[in-house]
Amino acid sequence: MSRIQYFVAASIDGFIATTKDDLAWLLEFDGFEGGKESYENFMAAVGCIVMGGETFAWLMEHEPDNWPYPSTPCYVFTRHEHVAPAGTDITFVRGPVQEFIQDFKDHAGEKNVWVVGGGNLAAQFADAGLLDELILSVTPVVLGEGKRLLPLKGPTTPLELTASRTMGRGIVELRYTLAAPDPTR
């Protein structure tokens, strides 16, 4: 059965990008020990990708001729008009994530659904009780401000830590299972 996963890196103070969507701080860690293996193992179990329009626009700006997920169906939540790169399986959608959850799972088949970003989209899944797992690589950088990891409407129920490991350059990967939100909160 498909799981909805948010696989993401964040600074120690909980930001996934600067306020101007700069990821230079994160790109400094490319090639760290254990990172490639972690990503490849994760991607082997991904059957569908979901991302926000800002993440899509960032990818198009920084990798216009090299779509990083050529063989994986992708849904992009956006209010803007975008054009998918030739030869890709990208669907642009608008509306609440709940309306499309079955489509994501159908495309994923026996594999998982990866919520790539950003944090606002992942928060919509979490607020709707649809986010099953958070896989967080805590990176040893303090940004001070920026785009939050998971800007939720309120506190979550306690997450269950299912795994942790240290990787190269001081990065710690944490895996959490999320419980369904408490409707009384």
Side-chain angles (χ1 to χ4, degrees):
M1 184 162 112
S2 293
R3 294 178 54 78
I4 310 296
Q5 300 173 306
Y6 183 32
F7 180 88
V8 63
S11 63
I12 288 175
D13 52 347
F15 298 106
I16 60 173
T18 67
T19 54
K20 296 183 179 183
D21 292 321
D22 184 9
L23 296 178
W25 63 273
L26 179 59
L27 298 177
E28 290 180 38
F29 291 89
D30 273 358
F32 66 90
E33 180 185 332
K36 182 179 180 185
E37 172 191 304
S38 175
Y39 178 77
E40 288 175 352
N41 288 339
F42 173 77
M43 282 304 295
V46 171
C48 181
I49 294 172
V50 180
M51 70 177 63
E54 289 181 27
T55 300
F56 177 81
W58 190 93
L59 286 168
M60 292 294 89
E61 179 182 336
H62 291 86
E63 297 285 340
D65 299 320
N66 187 24
W67 179 246
Y69 316 110
S71 60
T72 307
C74 181
Y75 285 81
V76 178
F77 279 84
T78 183
R79 289 174 286 224
H80 304 286
E81 295 300 320
H82 294 285
V83 176
T88 60
D89 184 0
I90 298 174
T91 304
F92 298 100
V93 295
R94 290 181 176 98
V97 296
Q98 301 91 316
E99 289 182 16
F100 301 96
I101 196 71
Q102 194 57 53
D103 294 324
F104 307 150
K105 290 184 175 190
D106 289 346
H107 271 97
E110 294 297 315
K111 293 186 173 188
N112 297 318
V113 177
W114 177 21
V115 179
V116 173
N120 290 329
L121 182 62
Q124 290 177 47
F125 278 88
D127 281 335
L130 299 171
L131 189 62
D132 298 311
E133 186 174 26
L134 168 63
I135 305 165
L136 173 62
S137 293
V138 180
T139 308
V141 172
V142 175
L143 296 180
E145 64 180 0
K147 304 285 176 99
R148 291 177 33 210
L149 167 69
L150 203 57
L152 297 169
K153 293 177 184 173
T156 67
T157 56
L159 283 62
E160 178 185 346
L161 181 65
T162 58
S164 66
R165 67 180 179 146
T166 56
M167 298 190 291
R169 301 200 54 203
I171 295 173
V172 178
E173 184 179 82
L174 305 167
R175 287 181 167 256
Y176 291 100
T177 299
L178 282 78
D182 183 345
T184 63
R185 288 187 163 182

